[in-house]
Amino acid sequence: MEISIFCDESCHLEHDNQRVMLLGAIWCDRGAVRSISESIRALKREHGLKIPDARSRGFEVKWTKVGPAQLHFYDSLIRLFLEDDRLHFRSIIVRDKNLLDHSAFDQTHDDFYYKLYYRLLLRILEKKNNEYNVYLDIKDTRGGSKTRRLHDFLCTKLRDDQKMVLKHVEQIRSEESELLQLCDLILGAVSYYNRQQDGSEAKLKLIDTLSTYKRRYPRKLGETSFLSEEKFDLFYWSAAA
């Protein structure tokens, strides 16, 4: 099976006045990407939102856009994720990045960012008999070389010198991928919860849907998931972890 993994980040900058930092990944069988993307576009059409074409990027799903006007659309999108067993999500959450001591590990915050990506992805990649392609949301203009190093380090750990297991790790733009946009939405919900925000009733409604829908995921979003969790996996990272 060949797996496509789409990754995003939230509150990842070192000095952004946010304590929490999150990286997230959503993945499925490569053969399911097209049909899931079409399902997302169908929801957009149903709610009167523009689909990308040759003249326009169309409506891009983003957590920052969530509000009362499009609540039913975003709620349907969260339910699509929860109901489709082909889709899986994993996130690593740093509760307080102000406690990080980069000098003790001779690293920059940017180095730590990619080390955290390494840890996020490794658990997904360690399943046997699969091939993988990883797509990261573009972070900045200097991310290309760091992305290649991340690929190399992961392949070394996997003993995949010929890059036959982890075939690609590359950057893409969020407007190019419905699944990357879905990752942004789910990661945004987890981030909002962990930042203890309560100013948007629409966003709180989506968090409620994500955590309690059909009682499939009644666990609080503030806890590390069980190791057996395969659908919606959260890991809270600390310096002692």
Side-chain angles (χ1 to χ4, degrees):
M1 184 177 293
E2 189 168 348
I3 306 297
S4 295
I5 307 171
F6 301 86
C7 304
D8 200 6
E9 71 281 315
S10 177
C11 307
H12 62 285
L13 299 177
E14 187 172 12
H15 303 296
D16 58 4
N17 297 317
Q18 298 291 342
R19 295 172 65 125
V20 69
M21 173 178 176
L22 306 91
L23 299 179
I26 194 166
W27 71 96
C28 64
D29 177 18
R30 182 183 179 187
V33 171
R34 181 184 294 273
S35 65
I36 293 171
S37 298
E38 284 298 331
S39 294
I40 294 172
R41 293 188 192 107
L43 279 178
K44 289 181 178 180
R45 292 189 190 96
E46 180 182 331
H47 289 84
L49 303 174
K50 189 170 178 55
I51 304 302
D53 56 32
R55 295 174 297 176
S56 170
R57 294 178 179 177
F59 181 86
E60 183 176 353
V61 171
K62 282 185 173 295
W63 175 256
T64 55
K65 292 182 178 180
V66 171
Q70 303 299 342
L71 176 58
H72 292 303
F73 164 70
Y74 281 113
D75 192 66
S76 296
L77 198 50
I78 292 289
R79 291 167 188 263
L80 180 150
F81 163 73
L82 294 172
E83 292 172 355
D84 194 327
D85 290 335
R86 298 172 297 177
L87 286 168
H88 309 269
F89 177 84
R90 171 171 165 78
S91 178
I92 287 187
I93 304 101
V94 178
R95 291 188 189 274
D96 190 350
K97 64 189 175 195
N98 296 321
L99 299 178
L100 299 173
D101 184 2
H102 295 314
S103 62
F105 297 92
D106 192 26
Q107 66 184 13
T108 65
H109 185 74
D110 197 52
D111 293 332
F112 174 74
Y113 170 88
Y114 284 99
K115 287 179 180 180
L116 209 63
Y117 253 133
Y118 174 91
R119 184 155 190 172
L120 171 76
L121 290 167
L122 191 59
R123 186 173 176 208
I124 303 171
L125 300 173
E126 286 182 323
K127 293 186 177 180
K128 305 297 184 182
N129 303 318
N130 288 334
E131 298 174 354
Y132 299 91
N133 299 287
V134 175
Y135 305 98
L136 308 179
D137 187 26
I138 292 180
K139 174 173 169 281
D140 54 44
T141 57
R142 299 170 297 173
S145 61
K146 294 290 183 70
T147 299
R148 289 189 290 273
R149 287 186 63 196
L150 175 63
H151 191 182
D152 290 340
F153 280 125
L154 286 166
C155 284
T156 297
K157 179 65 174 179
L158 297 170
R159 298 181 180 178
D160 180 28
D161 295 341
Q162 301 301 314
K163 295 181 170 61
M164 300 296 289
V165 175
L166 181 52
K167 299 167 69 174
H168 300 285
V169 179
E170 60 189 71
Q171 295 180 305
I172 63 172
R173 298 185 183 279
S174 57
E175 64 263 24
E176 300 172 0
S177 169
E178 305 287 356
L179 283 168
L180 187 53
Q181 294 172 40
L182 180 57
C183 185
D184 176 282
L185 181 66
I186 297 171
L187 189 65
V190 179
S191 174
Y192 199 80
Y193 176 89
N194 277 279
R195 287 184 286 127
Q196 300 180 331
Q197 301 292 294
D198 60 4
S200 169
E201 290 187 11
K203 290 180 177 178
L204 293 174
K205 173 63 171 65
L206 294 186
I207 290 170
D208 183 65
T209 298
L210 182 62
S211 59
T212 63
Y213 181 60
K214 290 187 176 179
R215 301 193 61 80
R216 290 186 68 182
Y217 309 101
R219 189 177 306 114
K220 294 181 179 180
L221 298 185
E223 299 175 358
T224 289
S225 303
F226 295 115
L227 289 175
S228 59
E229 182 61 70
E230 295 186 354
K231 176 67 175 181
F232 186 73
D233 176 17
L234 303 181
F235 179 77
Y236 282 83
W237 184 93
S238 68

